[in-house]
Amino acid sequence: MAIRQHHGHARLTAGLLLIGAIVAGVWVWKRLPLDTQDIIVEEAIPIAALCVGILWGTWFAVIRPIRHRRDRERRRADLLARFAKTRSWNQRRSLAFELVEVNEYRLEGLESVVGSLKEIFSLTLTQAIGDKQHRIRGMAASHLGILQDRSAVPLLVKALDDDHAYVRGCAALGLGRLRATEVKDRLVVVAKDDWDQTVRSRAREAVERMS
């Protein structure tokens, strides 16, 4: 509650300062000579706009990506530490999914836990049985592809026959991420024959990755 009140006071103060700055600016502007106003409009404002544009571009092109990367690395380090300490299966599985997502579906930075992640995703894909658990099966299938461990290919091929379309589509996505060219023909068949449009699309994307 105290933190919310503090933030509320800070926003109010900032708003009042902005209003005060606008009023002061208008007051000063009206008292400037016309020649000075013309110079400001014709020269100073375009220069100021250019500077703002450069600063804005620098923020989005340089500073923001650096801050985003540092934030991702900090969150990843925190999750890795929690993952190493946790012994509960459900918690480890939740942390495994979160690790991949926080790391923006990249392997870099997760090399130290690839074996553990593969075990968790493989067991989830084979043991999370039932229609109600199709989402975590699918997530496990797609995340297996990120780990770049080709021993997961047979498991993902089997998942192409899952009863739920979401799982089949994620399995195709995982195979595409692995660039498993040895099952390209199987994916071509899925891209033509699966009744679900999303699954067909995922299979086509996977085949294109292998080209």
Side-chain angles (χ1 to χ4, degrees), residues 128-144:
I129 306 301
D131 185 66
K132 291 183 179 179
Q133 299 198 72
H134 71 275
R135 186 156 297 277
I136 60 173
R137 288 203 311 281
M139 289 171 61
S142 65
H143 289 11
L144 274 171

Side-chain angles (χ1 to χ4, degrees), residues 110-157:
L110 300 179
E111 293 87 351
S112 63
V113 292
V114 165
S116 298
L117 294 179
K118 182 197 171 187
E119 179 184 8
I120 290 172
F121 296 150
S122 298
L123 287 174
T124 298
L125 184 54
T126 56
Q127 295 182 3
I129 306 301
D131 185 66
K132 291 183 179 179
Q133 299 198 72
H134 71 275
R135 186 156 297 277
I136 60 173
R137 288 203 311 281
M139 289 171 61
S142 65
H143 289 11
L144 274 171
I146 294 164
L147 303 181
Q148 296 302 306
D149 186 333
R150 301 185 72 83
S151 65
V153 170
L155 192 60
L156 291 173
V157 171

Side-chain angles (χ1 to χ4, degrees), residues 44-64:
I45 289 180
I47 293 173
L50 177 62
C51 291
V52 170
I54 292 173
L55 290 173
W56 193 261
T58 302
W59 166 262
F60 277 97
V62 181
I63 299 175
R64 189 180 182 188

Side-chain angles (χ1 to χ4, degrees), residues 3-35:
I3 294 175
R4 291 182 179 177
Q5 289 178 346
H6 175 73
H7 287 168
H9 290 317
R11 285 194 292 269
L12 177 61
T13 301
L16 292 174
L17 288 173
L18 178 61
I19 293 172
I22 293 172
V23 172
V26 172
W27 185 87
V28 171
W29 177 261
K30 288 183 176 180
R31 283 156 180 78
L32 290 174
L34 292 178
D35 291 344

